[in-house]
């Protein structure tokens, strides 16, 4: 059958420089799955969310099991991002 196993431990970062000087370089960040190391989950999420324009969340099973946790997490992260933006102004 089909199964998924985590390959990323911690954070894996790749910088892809732009070949066009008028366009920005891209930074790709791959992280370990949420719940694989609860000790660092919030730190990793805060870091990634703080520097990202787009977040893609992979999960196993039905989304319903992840919906509440993601809603709570991103509510907190939105407040954190607002706090960061205020500090940088």
């Amino acid at each position: 059958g089909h199964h998924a196993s985590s390959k990323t431990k911690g954070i894996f970062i790749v910088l892809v420089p732009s070949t066009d000087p008028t366009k920005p370089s891209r930074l790709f960040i791959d992280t370990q799955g949420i719940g694989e190391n609860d000790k660092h989950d919030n730190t990793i999420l805060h870091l990634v969310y703080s520097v990202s324009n787009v977040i893609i969340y992979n999960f196993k099973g039905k989304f319903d099991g992840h919906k509440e946790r993601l809603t709570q997490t991103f509510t907190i992260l939105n407040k954190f991002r607002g706090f960061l933006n205020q500090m940088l102004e």
Side-chain angles (χ1 to χ4, degrees):
H2 292 90
H3 68 282
S5 61
S6 176
K7 302 295 181 202
T8 305
K9 300 294 180 198
I11 300 174
F12 179 74
I13 300 173
V14 176
L15 176 64
V16 179
S18 176
T19 56
D20 181 346
T22 64
K23 295 185 179 179
S25 296
R26 292 170 300 219
L27 184 68
F28 292 93
I29 304 171
D30 184 16
T31 69
Q32 66 192 26
I34 303 301
E36 291 188 28
N37 186 344
D38 289 333
K39 179 179 174 185
H40 299 293
D41 282 353
N42 287 336
T43 303
I44 290 171
L45 271 172
H46 279 87
L47 173 67
V48 170
Y49 192 75
S50 297
V51 300
S52 300
N53 290 338
V54 175
I55 294 177
I56 299 172
Y57 180 77
N58 293 339
F59 57 91
K60 291 189 280 186
K62 294 183 178 184
F63 181 71
D64 292 345
H66 298 261
K67 184 178 179 181
E68 184 177 331
R69 181 171 183 170
L70 283 176
T71 299
Q72 291 172 347
T73 299
F74 284 106
T75 298
I76 292 167
L77 291 173
N78 277 328
K79 291 178 184 179
F80 179 71
R81 182 178 272 177
F83 173 74
L84 285 178
N85 288 336
Q86 286 179 347
M87 288 189 64
L88 296 173
E89 289 178 352

